[in-house]
Amino acid sequence: MTADEMRYDLQVIASWIEPEARVLDLGCGTGVLSLAAVLFGAPRCLGVDVDPEAISAAQQNAVLNNLQDRALFRLGSSREGSPPYSLVLANLVGAVLFNAGGEIPILLSPGGIAVVSGFSGKQSGDVQTFFSRRGAWVLKERRESGWAALLLAT
């Protein structure tokens, strides 16, 4: 995740977190976005990843920040949680997003949003088409330093 992607993701998280927000971080990596979600006010965040080392690092980061009771991490996919979510975070490269991101729209609660980032600006049109075919629409697109991010709703 680049600094530009991180800045955008954090801005969206800060502006969309509500006291009862249900948050899923799909492909959580080291858990940075999950931890930010709870620091910005989400009561809990579930982070999932298919990489056991990522889950271990995310759990360690939660403990280091005394957030282990609110930022939970599980090995696996979105099936590890219990939708719907008011906010889904997915910072994934394009290939992974096309493989694992198709379920993002059905994970959202009515009025919920998804922040999808981590793919190249050249892929943005394909990503938008991918999600529109699955019932999501783009509320906002951001491109910076060759990378893109989308704010999606259903």
Side-chain angles (χ1 to χ4, degrees), residues 66-82:
N66 198 28
L67 296 172
Q68 66 273 16
D69 293 335
R70 295 176 55 208
L72 311 172
F73 299 98
R74 293 188 188 147
L75 184 64
S77 68
S78 63
R79 292 178 193 93
E80 302 304 315
S82 56

Side-chain angles (χ1 to χ4, degrees), residues 4-142:
D4 293 329
E5 289 174 303
M6 174 74 73
R7 183 174 35 255
Y8 179 71
D9 290 350
L10 292 174
Q11 289 170 347
V12 173
I13 293 168
S15 64
W16 282 86
I17 290 294
E18 296 175 349
E20 298 303 316
R22 291 182 39 84
V23 183
L24 174 68
D25 185 359
L26 185 60
C28 65
T30 60
V32 172
L33 295 179
S34 297
L35 298 175
V38 296
L39 287 170
F40 283 126
R44 287 200 180 356
C45 179
L46 173 62
V48 296
D49 205 299
V50 296
D51 181 351
E53 290 181 20
I55 294 300
S56 177
Q59 290 170 333
Q60 290 173 12
N61 287 333
V63 169
L64 287 172
N65 288 280
N66 198 28
L67 296 172
Q68 66 273 16
D69 293 335
R70 295 176 55 208
L72 311 172
F73 299 98
R74 293 188 188 147
L75 184 64
S77 68
S78 63
R79 292 178 193 93
E80 302 304 315
S82 56
Y85 298 96
S86 50
L87 177 61
V88 174
L89 307 168
N91 185 272
L92 303 167
V93 296
V96 175
L97 185 61
F98 292 132
N99 186 43
E103 59 197 11
I104 290 173
I106 62 173
L107 296 171
L108 291 172
S109 60
I113 61 155
V115 182
V116 180
S117 58
F119 53 93
S120 74
K122 293 177 182 179
Q123 293 175 303
S124 186
D126 292 337
V127 173
Q128 290 182 45
T129 299
F130 177 80
F131 282 108
S132 69
R133 290 181 178 159
R134 285 156 181 81
W137 66 89
V138 177
L139 297 174
K140 185 174 183 179
E141 175 190 26
R142 181 161 179 172

